[in-house]
Amino acid sequence: MAAATTTYFETGRSWTARVTERNTELLAQQGQRRRGVRTPEFYFTKHFDNSRLVKAPDPVRVREMRVFTAAVTVLFSLIMIYGLQHFSAIERSYRVEAEKQQLDQLREENRQLKLSEAQLTQPGRIDSKARELGLAAPQPGQVIHPSARIDASAPALAQVNAPMTSPASPVQ
């Protein structure tokens, strides 16, 4: 490789002149470096013309590359499927936790509503509110229970009672 280097001052000389000069320098340096048998070192330049070379098809190599590509594709697909399942499971677990929290909130709200209903439906409270509004207890015969029919086999007639008017709404 040393024969291929060219300095600024050597550009005017021919290639063979430079190679022979380099070989002479190396031969002179070998005597100084070695003791004993002197073997001369010569560098020869070789010119290769690879323009006519054509790559021969290698069916075994092509088959190996196709098998390798298929294996990598399958492996990549399996890893992607695993990742998809893993992240969808994580997402589902977050969704389940959110729904559990919502269920707990709804249960608490339901409990509060039942307590409120129990307070509002106390007979003593209803009676005191009715008295505050000026309502009185019903007179005997004023209340008719639909389940208390005298004769179950006799046909029942529908009756229309006059609508009760409130003191705030005018009668038409």
Side-chain angles (χ1 to χ4, degrees):
M1 196 72 189
T5 59
T6 307
T7 63
Y8 176 74
F9 300 107
E10 296 175 338
T11 53
R13 294 184 302 175
S14 69
W15 178 256
T16 46
R18 283 185 278 162
V19 169
T20 45
E21 184 181 332
R22 176 75 177 143
N23 286 340
T24 310
E25 289 174 9
L26 289 174
L27 188 61
Q29 289 175 0
Q30 283 179 2
Q32 297 169 358
R33 292 184 188 160
R34 291 192 193 157
R35 295 181 189 152
V37 181
R38 296 184 182 181
T39 310
E41 291 184 16
F42 294 98
Y43 293 101
F44 297 98
T45 59
K46 297 180 182 178
H47 299 284
F48 294 107
D49 183 21
N50 291 337
S51 63
R52 291 173 279 134
L53 294 179
V54 178
K55 184 179 176 184
D58 189 5
V60 174
R61 174 85 170 146
V62 169
R63 183 171 175 264
E64 287 175 352
M65 289 306 295
R66 285 185 180 156
V67 168
F68 177 74
T69 304
V72 168
T73 303
V74 167
L75 181 66
F76 179 76
S77 299
L78 290 175
I79 290 172
M80 287 294 117
I81 289 171
Y82 169 76
L84 177 70
Q85 288 178 344
H86 178 71
F87 290 123
S88 64
I90 290 173
E91 181 183 351
R92 280 190 215 116
S93 68
Y94 281 128
R95 198 176 314 140
V96 165
E97 282 299 318
E99 288 177 2
K100 280 182 183 178
Q101 288 177 355
Q102 184 181 9
L103 181 65
D104 289 342
Q105 282 180 331
L106 290 174
R107 283 184 179 157
E108 179 62 27
E109 185 179 343
N110 192 17
R111 188 182 72 78
Q112 292 291 333
L113 289 173
K114 284 182 180 180
L115 284 174
S116 176
E117 179 189 15
Q119 285 178 343
L120 294 174
T121 58
Q122 288 179 348
R125 183 183 176 281
I126 293 174
D127 188 44
S128 66
K129 282 290 185 180
R131 289 191 197 281
E132 286 176 13
L133 295 173
L135 299 176
Q139 300 297 322
Q142 199 176 12
V143 177
I144 301 172
H145 293 285
S147 61
R149 282 195 291 165
I150 299 169
D151 188 10
S153 63
L157 295 175
Q159 295 177 354
V160 176
N161 293 334
M164 295 180 63
T165 60
S166 65
S169 64
V171 179
Q172 295 178 356

